[in-house]
Amino acid sequence: MRMFRRSLIALGIAAMLPTLAFLAVGTFLLLRDESERVEADSLARSRVVMTLIDAHLQGDAAALSVLASSIYLDTHDWQEFYPRLQRAASASPHWATVVLYDAQRGEEILDLRRPLSAPRRMPLAGGGDLSVLRRSTGISIGSIQPAPEPLAFVYLPVFRDRQLTYVIAAGVRPQIYQDILLAQSQPGTTSAIVDTHGRFIARTVSFQNYVGQPATRFVRNAIRTSASGLYRGTTYEGVKNYTAFFTSPWSGWSAHIAIASSLIDTPTSWSFIVAAVAAVGSALLGALLVVLVLRDMAERRRREDALQQSQKMEAIGQLTGGIAHDFNNLLTAIIGNLDMIRRRATGQARIQQMADNALEAARRGAKLTSQLLAFSRTQRMQLQSVDLQRLMAGMNSLLAQSVGPAIETHVALAADARTVLSDPNQLELAILNLAVNARDAMPNGGSLTIASTISIGPPASPLANKPCVKLSVTDTGAGMSEAIRNRATEPFFTTKPVGQGTGLGLSQVYGIVRESGGALDIVSAVNAGTTVHVYLPHGVAAAAPQQLISQDSAGAAQQATAEAAILICDDDRQVRQFMVDTLQGAGYRVTQASSGEAALHALRAASFDLLIVDFAMPHMNGAQVAQSAQEIRPATRILMVSGYSDSAAIDAAVDSVQLLRKPFDVSELLVAIRNCLAR
């Protein structure tokens, strides 16, 4: 019976532990919130006090500004100005005096506390700093002066011809600030207003005894180290308390609202006691929760980092795609016009040689934009099932020449990881880029390994948690630091010397892999080599995209007659003019339009055998123009030209449209036109 009773007691205690733990946590939070509420309320009241005091100081400054505009300051008629100041002081009962000071001579001209007499050399009233006022264009708030009567001074510099001529100062009785402080303070609390030098301006306790006197060291230390906050100290009466304070950025004065220590210490102490009791009762549960939360936070952080990197690379890809589009338009005009110059310079070997050199440089530029397009996902890729074994066998000699004899190359492709879904040409280029990077990381020789295995796609990628092929390129080179590894796939980022790298190698690999629906991961450390993991979809039979343009004139369709009418629509004037000149020279009848709307207007007015339209144009893109053109003239053939277009978008928007990529030369343009007209 006793054992049974003990078991029931143990079971009851076990059942009560979660309830006690929740109650303890709730009590802890409630007590802590109460302490924070007291602190926040006191800080808010200190801000309110300083806001009201600043408003009074600004009112005094405005009154001084009116006095500063008096004509007597220019006529120096102090006999008339003196009663003017007396009337102003009587209108502001809290003003004890007004002092006028000659800043050029360093003399006090008049002070309402004494009869008008000859100017005398005296320091600035209230202990103000003349050097500060010379650098100021606005008012300055001085410190309180304890003798002969405690006054706080508000200074206004008066400038004539950009020179500090006079200073008008109003001596304010601190009782006005005392009244504000008492109105905003709770009964029984110790509150104070302190100037920039740490002297009391107002105080809820023993105001007459402490006004103008230095505050405690706790107050002075607080205003020296921070503009607002909470500090612990002891008042002159020996009371230990917490004080919330706020310093006005405008006047430099601060309001200090004391809080009884028990209001903060008691809730804090009890909260820690309750927390300790709760910790003993729920230690095991808390440990388990901490482990789970930390694991979840780490996983979430990894996913957020991966998503952030993906979004950053997506944004960079869009930017580079736009840049490539603009460059392709420029290169189309350059290559086309250079080709025409070379063709027409028959018999002029020097001019032909110069044109050939310029054409070679322009085509190098076209290759660079092609790399940009590969990164930005705007380069058309022909996805198909690729046999890695056959691909590597076909590029053995090229790979050996690229890495050199000092590097030992190993290829290890798993039998079940030989087929991937990608563009064979682009994938070959990606592997070659990785091999060249590995070679540059091993200037003294080393080992390069290309291997494939079956794996699971990395998180935050199109292949997340899916079976795929992992193609790994590993070198024994210098490796990368974490900072370099994080930026390795950014376009134009390179650690190579000027002239030895464009920074587009890894970014191009990244674009090719992403366009293939895969992912890229770099594992590297300084002096520990580098492994680039390329995750690609497992080989699945896929129809390769239709070849849109034949570049080979051999076997092309029948030669078009000179009667063919062609409408050219391109918003780039130079590209449009190059095409017009080329086609007119070939005997075609050519009409040009600078926008989609103009092209459609021309189609309504007349029929054409062929419409050549740019894809990326303002207002209406090429796909929209082609759709409308087929509705207006169904028999019109269409040739799309573009340096940036998303081929999938073109295929989805318009059926049976051929595509010619910019930049192109005269021959490529004429072959594409003959192919279209022969359909």
Side-chain angles (χ1 to χ4, degrees):
M1 178 63 75
R2 182 177 299 175
M3 185 177 296
F4 180 75
R5 190 183 305 116
R6 289 176 180 173
S7 299
L8 288 178
I9 294 173
L11 183 61
I13 294 175
M16 291 175 61
L17 276 177
T19 303
L20 292 174
F22 282 118
L23 289 175
V25 171
T27 305
F28 171 80
L29 294 176
L30 181 64
L31 293 172
R32 188 183 62 179
D33 289 346
E34 176 63 19
S35 176
E36 292 177 351
R37 185 195 64 77
V38 172
E39 295 177 15
D41 180 66
S42 300
L43 283 170
R45 282 192 286 119
S46 65
R47 286 177 178 270
V48 170
V49 170
M50 281 314 306
T51 300
L52 294 174
I53 289 178
D54 281 351
H56 275 270
L57 290 172
Q58 290 169 353
D60 293 337
L64 288 177
S65 298
V66 175
L67 296 176
S69 63
S70 175
I71 192 174
Y72 299 126
L73 292 179
D74 297 319
T75 62
H76 306 153
D77 190 351
W78 311 129
Q79 293 290 342
E80 294 294 332
F81 193 44
Y82 190 88
R84 174 73 178 90
L85 295 181
Q86 288 179 320
R87 291 192 298 272
S90 63
S92 302
H94 57 284
W95 284 10
T97 185
V98 179
V99 182
L100 178 63
Y101 190 79
D102 189 330
Q104 298 293 325
R105 298 181 181 180
E107 295 178 344
E108 180 188 282
I109 299 175
L110 56 86
D111 186 340
L112 294 185
R113 291 176 292 185
R114 63 181 178 84
L116 181 63
S117 61
R120 56 178 180 171
R121 296 194 63 81
M122 287 190 68
L124 196 63
D129 190 345
L130 186 60
S131 62
V132 174
L133 292 174
R134 290 185 188 278
R135 299 190 299 269
S136 172
T137 58
I139 71 166
S140 178
I141 308 300
S143 301
I144 192 163
Q145 301 300 311
E149 176 188 4
L151 296 177
F153 280 86
V154 179
Y155 306 99
L156 179 71
V158 181
F159 291 87
R160 294 293 187 269
D161 298 327
R162 298 185 179 180
Q163 295 292 325
L164 178 61
T165 307
Y166 301 103
V167 176
I168 298 179
V172 183
R173 296 184 180 92
Q175 184 62 47
I176 186 69
Y177 311 124
Q178 176 74 2
D179 295 340
I180 295 174
L181 184 62
L182 290 173
Q184 296 297 324
S185 300
Q186 294 181 351
T189 60
T190 303
S191 303
I193 305 298
V194 177
D195 65 17
T196 55
H197 296 288
R199 288 193 284 266
F200 285 120
I201 295 174
R203 195 170 188 266
T204 56
V205 179
S206 303
F207 165 65
Q208 297 298 335
N209 296 333
Y210 287 103
V211 64
Q213 299 301 318
T216 64
R217 61 184 177 86
F218 305 104
V219 175
R220 297 197 301 273
N221 289 338
I223 62 178
R224 277 199 304 266
T225 57
S226 179
S228 65
L230 188 75
Y231 62 90
R232 188 170 185 174
T234 305
T235 67
Y236 278 125
E237 291 78 17
V239 178
K240 295 183 180 297
N241 55 24
Y242 289 90
T243 302
F245 77 100
F246 173 76
T247 302
S248 167
W250 183 78
S251 64
W253 292 2
S254 57
H256 299 254
I257 307 297
I259 312 167
S261 296
S262 59
L263 294 177
I264 293 180
D265 289 341
T266 300
T268 302
S269 300
W270 275 106
S271 66
F272 281 112
I273 293 173
V274 171
V277 173
V280 172
S282 56
L284 292 177
L285 180 60
L288 178 60
L289 288 176
V290 167
V291 171
L292 293 176
V293 168
L294 289 178
R295 183 178 299 174
D296 183 65
M297 289 177 61
E299 181 65 25
R300 184 179 301 175
R301 189 178 299 110
R302 284 194 296 269
R303 293 191 178 188
E304 288 177 351
D305 290 344
L307 178 60
Q308 184 179 11
Q309 177 70 8
S310 175
Q311 290 174 340
K312 181 178 73 172
M313 299 308 295
E314 185 72 24
I316 296 176
Q318 294 176 358
L319 174 64
T320 54
I323 294 174
H325 165 248
D326 293 339
F327 267 99
N328 276 333
N329 275 339
L330 293 174
L331 289 171
T332 299
I334 293 172
I335 290 175
N337 285 283
L338 285 173
D339 193 21
M340 287 195 294
I341 291 173
R342 184 178 59 82
R343 290 169 179 267
R344 296 180 183 182
T346 304
Q348 301 182 51
R350 180 175 176 80
I351 294 178
Q352 284 187 329
Q353 182 62 41
M354 293 168 63
D356 288 338
N357 292 339
L359 274 171
E360 181 181 356
R363 290 192 173 101
R364 287 171 58 190
K367 182 179 179 181
L368 183 63
T369 58
S370 177
Q371 291 177 314
L372 288 173
L373 287 170
F375 173 78
S376 65
R377 299 187 67 179
T378 56
Q379 185 72 290
R380 186 182 183 90
M381 291 183 61
Q382 299 179 0
L383 298 180
Q384 56 186 274
S385 185
V386 179
D387 187 336
L388 292 177
Q389 188 74 34
R390 184 178 302 172
L391 183 74
M392 295 304 303
M395 60 182 298
N396 270 341
S397 59
L398 178 61
L399 190 63
Q401 293 176 2
S402 300
V403 300
I407 296 176
E408 187 177 357
T409 304
H410 304 278
V411 178
L413 303 176
D416 58 347
R418 284 182 46 180
T419 309
V420 297
L421 188 64
S422 185
D423 183 306
N425 295 325
Q426 296 293 335
L427 182 58
E428 180 178 326
L429 179 61
I431 296 173
L432 186 61
N433 276 336
L434 293 176
V436 170
N437 280 350
R439 177 203 65 191
D440 294 341
M442 299 182 288
N444 299 321
S447 175
L448 173 65
T449 302
I450 302 174
S452 69
T453 58
I454 295 296
S455 180
I456 298 298
S461 74
L463 296 173
N465 302 320
K466 298 178 181 178
C468 62
V469 175
K470 180 173 71 174
L471 180 64
S472 302
V473 180
T474 304
D475 65 63
T476 58
M480 312 180 204
S481 65
E482 183 178 359
I484 293 176
R485 187 174 69 250
N486 291 337
R487 299 189 59 192
T489 55
E490 293 183 11
F492 305 113
F493 175 77
T494 179
T495 57
K496 298 177 183 178
V498 176
Q500 296 186 20
T502 63
L504 285 172
L506 275 176
S507 65
Q508 186 176 19
V509 174
Y510 177 83
I512 292 170
V513 172
R514 187 176 58 177
E515 180 71 3
S516 299
L520 183 72
D521 182 34
I522 301 175
V523 179
S524 183
V526 177
N527 299 323
T530 299
T531 299
V532 179
H533 297 298
V534 175
Y535 298 88
L536 293 170
H538 205 284
V540 177
Q546 182 183 1
Q547 182 69 27
L548 296 183
I549 295 297
S550 170
Q551 296 288 342
D552 189 3
S553 59
Q558 299 176 354
Q559 176 71 33
T561 65
E563 298 300 322
I566 299 176
L567 174 61
I568 298 175
C569 176
D570 198 307
D571 63 314
D572 189 295
R573 180 186 59 82
Q574 294 176 329
V575 175
R576 189 173 67 249
Q577 190 60 49
F578 153 63
M579 289 192 289
V580 169
D581 293 343
T582 299
L583 298 187
Q584 286 179 343
Y588 294 103
R589 291 183 291 114
V590 181
T591 302
Q592 57 177 305
S594 61
S595 66
E597 293 85 352
L600 296 179
H601 180 74
L603 281 169
R604 294 186 183 96
S607 63
F608 294 89
D609 298 295
L610 176 65
L611 167 64
I612 302 176
V613 59
D614 184 29
F615 181 75
M617 295 189 299
H619 306 302
M620 292 183 68
N621 62 35
Q624 294 170 327
V625 174
Q627 283 182 318
S628 300
Q630 289 182 338
E631 294 174 359
I632 297 172
R633 302 282 183 179
T636 303
R637 301 172 180 86
I638 298 174
L639 173 63
M640 192 83 67
V641 295
S642 178
Y644 176 62
S645 65
D646 184 343
S647 301
I650 298 176
D651 294 340
V654 183
D655 295 331
S656 303
V657 169
Q658 295 197 38
L659 176 65
L660 176 62
R661 286 203 171 276
K662 298 177 181 178
F664 48 79
D665 58 18
V666 171
S667 298
E668 292 169 332
L669 177 61
L670 293 177
V671 167
I673 291 174
R674 286 198 297 269
N675 287 346
C676 288
L677 292 175
R679 294 180 60 184

